[in-house]
Amino acid sequence: MKFGTKAIHAGVEPDPTTGAIMTPIYQTSTYVQESPGKHKGYEYSRTHNPTRTALQNALAALENGKHGICYASGLAATDAVLKLFRPGDEIIATNDIYGGTYRIMKRIFEPLGLVFHFVDMSDVDNIKKVCTANTKLVWIETPTNPLLRIIDIKAITDLCRKKGIYSAVDNTFASPYLQNPLDMGTDIVMHSVTKYLGGHSDTVMGALIVNDDALAKQLAFIQNATGAVPGPQDCFLVLRGIKTLHIRMQRHCENAMLVAQWLSCHPKVANVYYPGLSSHPGHTLAKQQMRGFGGMLSFELKGDIYGEAVAVMENLKVFSLGESLGGVESLCTHPASMTHASIPKEEREKVGLKDTLIRLSVGIEDVEDLIADLAQAIG
Ligand code: P1T
């Protein structure tokens, strides 16, 4: 089955009692049992809920995986992965990474005894250099947030397989429409479902998709035992959102490419970070491992003057200033004060994230209006 057909049909069966084509919102905490232990597969909604089951199956299908496990947020999904490990275990993570992912690693799991190494993964040798006998996981984010670097999933996954280390890919920026890490041998795919999968800026949710049965069992155990589950109404909204994922992503990609090209020709713009531009250092790799370049881009103005960057963000009218991404509407974010504020300034600057960086989540409006908005804001 091709992607668009899967996005509309996968995981969703007509409701067994009424034939309703849309999976109902099973707004229930518990399920009546005939006799102790004799039930229809559902006992308590932290453990299983039919709306969540439909969504988990749909997400697994979109990532060409066997098992989907949903959590209350993207970070709750990351938390579940990190709970697989024990004090002394070492994890290598991408250095240009969502601020909240850095924070959960450094501020929650490092004090509990996990050891983290943040490295520039554009060179696979940097991973080899910090690998020890205790390394248990390589955590890849690609394209990276917010600098849109591209990391070679296949090369790193192959290295992990050889060394018996788990690999995980945060696939939030690409969405399953553009990139399927499990097909490249990755063990765990993570999504902030909040973003492109939900697609309408109305839900916070996370998901993990895996092929390995034993790993899925462990992650479902953590889901139930620690309880960070999404509610059925949110699952319904995401089931609805993913039915248009392919159409939305096509438009996000087209619009972002045109915005990136326009920005890169603007006399006041210094750098545009978008993997679709042939000048982007990860362009060739992006063409190999992705089916399009996505809707995210970042840029800096010439002169790197903080006040000028702030003025652009204040002047935008069609782009709304705020955190998050991947919704139908265009958003503008200031990573240094918003999404990446939890990373110390020295660390941000080491990876090239300047206080003057402006990040855009290019929505699916008419691109002429988006470009006109940027034109008036940049001046
Ligand atoms: O917000 P939450 O659903 O918990 O997902 C966290 C997360 C994980 N991974 C990536 C790549 C992300 O971008 C995010 C959330 N990011 C934003 C809110 C943002 O504006 O970048």
Side-chain angles (χ1 to χ4, degrees):
M1 213 183 264
K2 292 183 77 177
F3 192 93
T5 314
K6 277 199 287 190
I8 291 168
H9 294 287
V12 179
E13 299 292 338
D15 181 52
T17 48
T18 62
I21 191 163
M22 289 300 143
T23 307
I25 303 167
Y26 281 91
Q27 194 75 48
T28 187
S29 58
T30 191
Y31 306 81
V32 177
Q33 307 195 8
E34 249 176 72
S35 139
K38 202 167 166 208
H39 53 74
K40 299 180 170 63
Y42 291 93
E43 294 158 272
Y44 187 59
S45 277
R46 173 163 32 75
T47 324
H48 294 295
N49 174 283
T51 320
R52 195 173 89 212
T53 302
L55 175 61
Q56 293 184 151
N57 292 340
L59 293 175
L62 291 183
E63 280 292 6
N64 301 329
K66 253 174 102 177
H67 307 279
I69 307 128
C70 285
Y71 299 86
S73 67
L75 279 173
T78 303
D79 177 74
V81 174
L82 297 174
K83 282 177 178 149
L84 294 169
F85 304 103
R86 294 293 169 261
D89 287 348
E90 297 189 25
I91 292 166
I92 305 172
T94 308
N95 63 350
D96 180 38
I97 197 167
Y98 170 58
T101 308
Y102 176 89
R103 180 177 55 198
I104 194 173
M105 290 176 172
K106 288 294 285 185
R107 307 266 306 271
I108 303 287
F109 283 92
E110 199 171 85
L112 293 174
L114 300 192
V115 178
F116 294 93
H117 304 274
F118 294 90
V119 304
D120 176 359
M121 292 191 179
S122 51
D123 182 354
V124 181
D125 280 345
N126 291 338
I127 297 177
K128 291 184 192 155
K129 278 182 208 152
V130 293
C131 228
T132 72
N134 295 328
T135 306
K136 295 286 159 54
L137 170 73
V138 174
W139 181 274
I140 304 165
E141 187 179 289
T142 182
T144 63
N145 181 0
L147 288 166
L148 282 305
R149 292 187 178 134
I150 304 295
I151 293 164
D152 191 335
I153 298 174
K154 176 88 174 60
I156 297 176
T157 299
D158 286 351
L159 175 74
C160 290
R161 295 238 150 208
K162 260 191 233 138
K163 292 186 176 283
I165 300 169
Y166 279 128
S167 55
V169 172
D170 181 336
N171 206 24
T172 300
F173 267 34
S175 90
Y177 181 68
L178 298 179
Q179 176 171 282
N180 298 118
L182 296 180
D183 292 349
M184 297 179 235
T186 304
D187 297 302
I188 303 172
V189 169
M190 177 265 165
H191 278 284
S192 170
V193 174
T194 316
K195 312 296 168 11
Y196 289 107
L197 286 162
H200 296 75
S201 306
D202 52 12
T203 318
V204 171
M205 196 191 293
L208 300 173
I209 299 103
V210 301
N211 275 323
D212 185 77
D213 297 339
L215 184 57
K217 217 169 154 188
Q218 270 180 294
L219 293 167
F221 172 79
I222 294 170
Q223 180 197 40
N224 181 49
T226 64
V229 292
Q233 172 122 12
D234 284 348
C235 293
F236 174 86
L237 285 171
V238 176
L239 276 167
R240 180 180 169 131
I242 60 179
K243 287 183 193 292
T244 53
L245 178 65
H246 51 305
I247 304 291
R248 288 186 283 109
M249 289 312 296
Q250 285 162 18
R251 186 67 171 260
H252 281 296
C253 291
E254 281 168 26
N255 281 1
M257 178 66 100
L258 291 168
V259 168
Q261 284 168 343
W262 181 87
L263 282 170
S264 57
C265 295
H266 196 289
K268 289 193 183 166
V269 172
N271 297 306
V272 181
Y273 304 92
Y274 184 63
L277 296 175
S278 54
S279 56
H280 185 284
H283 179 66
T284 308
L285 179 57
K287 270 204 291 200
Q288 277 164 26
Q289 73 182 18
M290 299 173 75
R291 291 180 286 271
F293 304 108
M296 297 300 298
L297 62 90
S298 295
F299 70 100
E300 289 144 0
L301 297 176
K302 281 186 185 152
D304 265 334
I305 299 165
Y306 182 72
E308 287 181 5
V310 169
V312 170
M313 291 184 268
E314 285 175 352
N315 290 343
L316 286 166
K317 293 189 171 64
V318 181
F319 283 84
S320 302
L321 181 62
E323 306 208 14
S324 204
L325 59 113
V328 289
E329 63 287 301
S330 292
L331 284 179
C332 166
T333 300
H334 179 229
S337 71
M338 298 179 180
T339 52
H340 293 70
S342 52
I343 304 177
K345 188 173 161 74
E346 321 80 72
E347 295 300 318
R348 293 201 303 262
E349 283 176 354
K350 258 192 240 164
V351 302
L353 198 181
K354 295 181 187 171
D355 284 358
T356 49
L357 188 82
I358 299 171
R359 193 190 76 183
L360 299 180
S361 170
V362 180
I364 64 169
E365 300 95 335
D366 291 300
V367 73
E368 296 81 358
D369 291 325
L370 301 179
I371 290 174
D373 193 31
L374 286 161
Q376 66 78 25
I378 298 171

